[in-house]
Amino acid sequence: MKTMDLQELEKRFQEKIDKEIKIEPNDWMPDEYRKTLIRQISQHAHSEIVGMLPEGNWITRAPNLRRKAVLLAKVQDEAGHGLYLYSSVETLGADREATIDDLHSGKAKYSSIFNYPAVTWADIGTIGWLVDGAAIMNQVALCRCSYGPYARGMVKICKEESFHQRQGFESLVTLCNGTPTQKAMAQDAMNRFWWPALMMFGPSDDESPNSAQSMKWKIKRFSNDELRQSFVDATVPQAEILGLTIPDPNLKWNEETGHYDFSPINWDEFWQVVNGNGPCNKERIEARTKAKEEGMWVREAAMAYAEKRALKKTA
Amino acid sequence: MKNEDLYNYVLRLGDDSLILGQRLGEWCGHGPILEEDIAMTNISLDLIGQAMSLLDYAGVLDGQGKDHDALAFLRFENEYRNALLLEQPNGDFANTMMRQFLFDAFRKPLYEKLLESTDMQIAAIAEKSLKETRYHLKHTSEWVIRLGDGTDESHQRAQTALDLLWRYTDELFFQTEEDTTLISLGMVPSMSEIKAEWSKTVLSVLEEATLVIPTNNWQFEGGRRGMHSEHLGFLLADLQYMQRAYPNMKW
């Protein structure tokens, strides 16, 4: 293709984006746009799937049948989100299994929050409230993402995530109105999940190299720091309703900015966890790799059977 | 107790759903294919829902104000009445699908008959549960066929599962003398009718799957009388953990 043509295509592409016209799978798009989306959507899909593990741990130990059913339904929703997202990745020409192999080899990342352990029942409510809450902040903005299939998938995902966030909050209301032991369990979970939840928005804007281009392409609508601030502002009053203390001595309302101030984030911890040194990185990837390896014969059987059926039909 | 015979009957139904639902939940996040991960937790969810309805009704028949949680979480091992089949460990995917299939093939005709129960509550629970169970049976039948007639490895695994689980199937049709009273009142069907339907389904699916019924036809029983395998204790340790460690709290 001639350089002029390419420039013209890029210009038309950007014009569509500027006019808020969605980009669809068969439309022309810059390679970098495609690559960015494949990376972002597949990482989002991996996060949903890896995210099933800490919560899935508690399905067999849920304290009553209603909570067990709610948790089953929630984790099943996460698996469903993974499915839509892998399908979105496929519309960009990527292979689902290849992106999963990238997860297992460590090439592809997923949300670091799932490398923290879920050690008590209160963690389940806290994950719903804080982790799904933080995810919603990101995902509501993604409903307006310039890439059509991703944006549409996100609309459905957001509806379910906001349900999960409310379920998590409701579960914590029960704990916080319960016995001192239950309240202490909820506070302990808050202490462990607060900072990792804030880290979910990613590095600060000045440390986030891909952000500017993603904003121009309207894959991203708000910066990491803007989303993090919105999350803190929305969550502090909810913690007050629960009567839980946020583990940050510097957290206070700032009249001037109209936002809450909070302590600097421990970015060293963030990068350590991203790069494989979180408490559960190894266990999470091992569990996913094991599921794939141990399921190989099942997939082979399904393929072999389908082939036999097809042969019988043509015979 | 208001109606001990019916209580015992409903408790067996409720415990079957509860224990199998609990077992299937263990697969969550570890399924061989994402779609099957979803399918297994979906079946688990249906079974836990059925257990809630059935155990609530058992609590009503018991008349001591127990709800589904009191019955699900606060009994001792020998007070559970599920069939031994359902407490067997998941094993591999073939074992899980075979266990589920052998159970679904029993549950479907049972719910079809319970639909006509003279007890309105049982009929209502059967109506809701039958819709779910039809899907489960369709799903597991397809998998048993696919695995049996898939590759050599999947065939071998499916046959091993059948050989292992076959000896727990007779117990599904357990019937007490008290049940005969319920049968005469039109509240529940005779198990011989259910077994005939079950055999028909099982034989036809196994034939299509190219699997053979093991020649050793020794049958175990005990679960219906509270005599369980070693596996149930571990399952209950997980299931009851929170209620036992933190007694008398609302969750």
Side-chain angles (χ1 to χ4, degrees), chain A residues 27 39 48 69 112 134 156 168 178 181 199 220 286 298 311:
Chain A
D27 293 350
R39 191 187 69 233
E48 299 281 359
S112 275
K156 186 165 191 292
T181 308
M199 293 177 198
K220 233 176 136 130
E286 267 175 12
V298 177
L311 272 177

Side-chain angles (χ1 to χ4, degrees), chain A:
Chain A
M1 191 176 290
K2 287 181 207 160
T3 321
M4 276 303 287
D5 289 345
L6 188 62
Q7 274 176 355
E8 182 59 27
L9 283 166
E10 277 176 0
K11 189 172 150 257
R12 282 188 201 164
F13 174 80
Q14 191 61 49
E15 278 168 7
K16 268 168 100 176
I17 299 230
D18 294 342
K19 284 187 202 154
E20 302 286 337
I21 297 169
K22 292 274 180 262
I23 307 300
E24 297 300 336
N26 293 330
D27 293 350
W28 185 88
M29 61 187 87
D31 281 349
E32 231 6 78
Y33 178 85
R34 187 185 298 276
K35 270 191 214 156
T36 302
L37 278 170
I38 290 175
R39 191 187 69 233
Q40 182 173 334
I41 304 173
S42 63
Q43 290 186 4
H44 190 167
H46 302 330
S47 302
E48 299 281 359
I49 302 306
V50 176
M52 293 167 71
L53 296 169
E55 292 178 283
N57 274 338
W58 277 92
I59 285 174
T60 58
R61 291 176 293 168
N64 60 40
L65 292 186
R66 181 178 153 253
R67 294 287 179 203
K68 193 189 289 288
V70 166
L71 184 58
L72 270 164
K74 184 193 171 188
V75 183
Q76 208 185 16
D77 283 349
E78 313 291 1
H81 299 170
L83 268 186
Y84 313 147
L85 291 164
Y86 283 126
S87 304
S88 285
V89 175
E90 285 175 329
T91 65
L92 290 157
D95 174 53
R96 168 170 148 184
E97 291 307 316
T99 63
I100 292 172
D101 289 338
D102 284 347
L103 168 71
H104 297 172
S105 73
K107 193 177 149 203
K109 303 293 180 203
Y110 54 92
S111 185
S112 275
I113 191 86
F114 302 118
N115 291 316
Y116 290 87
V119 289
T120 73
W121 172 252
D123 290 11
I124 298 307
T126 306
I127 289 172
W129 174 44
L130 293 180
V131 175
D132 289 67
I136 292 166
M137 282 290 164
N138 262 317
Q139 293 171 356
V140 164
L142 287 170
C143 294
R144 290 166 57 222
C145 166
S146 58
Y147 187 57
Y150 192 27
R152 287 187 291 270
M154 211 48 66
V155 172
K156 186 165 191 292
I157 290 175
C158 277
K159 280 184 192 158
E160 295 181 349
E161 296 288 16
S162 67
F163 201 65
H164 299 164
Q165 198 257 355
R166 276 177 279 170
Q167 282 173 333
F169 186 76
E170 187 262 337
S171 168
L172 287 177
V173 169
T174 308
L175 294 190
C176 291
N177 291 332
T179 63
T181 308
Q182 287 172 299
K183 181 91 187 267
M185 194 191 271
Q187 182 64 54
D188 167 66
M190 171 68 147
N191 294 347
R192 284 178 291 110
F193 277 96
W194 175 252
W195 289 107
L198 293 198
M199 293 177 198
M200 284 176 68
F201 297 93
S204 286
D205 297 345
D206 45 1
E207 300 281 331
S208 183
N210 302 321
S211 284
Q213 184 62 69
S214 283
M215 299 272 259
K216 192 174 167 224
W217 278 334
K218 296 191 181 170
I219 293 174
K220 233 176 136 130
R221 296 272 176 172
F222 301 97
S223 78
N224 294 353
D225 286 331
E226 283 171 329
L227 289 167
R228 186 166 15 244
Q229 186 66 59
S230 306
F231 174 71
V232 172
D233 292 347
T235 309
V236 173
Q238 294 170 5
E240 281 165 6
I241 293 171
L242 292 170
L244 293 176
T245 307
I246 290 177
D248 180 357
N250 299 314
L251 183 92
K252 63 170 190 297
W253 178 252
N254 183 329
E255 284 290 348
E256 250 172 66
T257 60
H259 294 292
Y260 282 93
D261 291 336
F262 53 94
S263 298
I265 285 171
N266 180 350
W267 291 114
D268 183 45
E269 175 181 329
F270 173 78
W271 288 113
Q272 285 296 334
V273 180
V274 167
N275 291 320
N277 293 326
C280 299
N281 294 54
K282 194 166 175 290
E283 286 87 341
R284 301 295 184 237
I285 292 301
E286 267 175 12
R288 291 310 312 157
T289 310
K290 188 164 173 262
K292 182 159 183 179
E293 282 169 3
E294 289 185 358
M296 191 74 81
W297 69 270
V298 177
R299 296 189 296 275
E300 283 168 2
M303 296 293 284
Y305 178 74
E307 276 166 30
K308 281 187 199 175
R309 285 279 294 239
L311 272 177
K312 264 185 203 162
K313 262 188 192 164
T314 52

Side-chain angles (χ1 to χ4, degrees), chain B residues 80-251:
Chain B
Y80 285 82
R81 290 290 180 268
N82 61 283
L84 293 173
L85 175 70
L86 308 168
E87 69 199 45
Q88 297 309 305
N90 286 337
D92 64 8
F93 182 73
N95 196 72
T96 296
M97 279 299 121
M98 188 61 76
R99 182 185 63 196
Q100 188 70 37
F101 165 68
L102 293 169
F103 177 69
D104 293 339
F106 154 75
R107 260 297 166 92
K108 181 177 156 275
L110 182 60
Y111 279 138
E112 278 169 348
K113 290 290 174 191
L114 288 174
L115 215 52
E116 299 156 15
S117 173
T118 51
D119 184 287
M120 298 314 282
Q121 189 60 30
I122 288 189
I125 296 172
E127 189 183 358
K128 177 185 169 284
S129 308
L130 179 59
K131 282 182 202 151
E132 298 165 348
T133 307
R134 281 193 176 125
Y135 277 111
H136 303 170
L137 178 61
K138 181 172 184 292
H139 189 76
T140 53
S141 302
E142 285 170 2
W143 268 111
V144 167
I145 293 167
R146 213 176 271 139
L147 296 178
D149 193 20
T151 60
D152 289 345
E153 181 180 2
S154 70
H155 176 85
Q156 194 50 52
R157 285 175 184 265
Q159 185 63 55
T160 304
L162 180 62
D163 293 349
L164 182 74
L165 298 172
W166 187 254
R167 54 198 176 149
Y168 301 111
T169 50
D170 249 7
E171 194 193 17
L172 294 170
F173 309 99
F174 173 91
Q175 193 167 289
T176 64
E177 234 166 80
E178 290 75 28
D179 288 350
T180 45
T181 316
L182 301 176
I183 295 167
S184 66
L185 292 169
M187 285 179 168
V188 307
S190 150
M191 280 297 177
S192 59
E193 285 179 78
I194 307 302
K195 185 159 189 184
E197 278 294 309
W198 178 84
S199 297
K200 223 163 67 185
T201 310
V202 168
L203 289 177
S204 102
V205 169
L206 291 182
E207 192 191 341
E208 204 180 336
T210 70
L211 296 169
V212 289
I213 291 168
T215 46
N216 182 351
N217 198 29
W218 176 255
Q219 291 287 327
F220 288 95
E221 62 86 31
R224 295 289 190 224
R225 296 180 291 116
M227 301 279 289
H228 291 278
S229 65
E230 288 182 345
H231 305 298
L232 186 68
F234 291 101
L235 181 146
L236 294 180
D238 272 358
L239 177 75
Q240 298 187 344
Y241 162 63
M242 288 295 291
Q243 290 284 346
R244 298 297 191 190
Y246 303 92
N248 303 317
M249 298 184 199
K250 296 237 175 300
W251 301 94

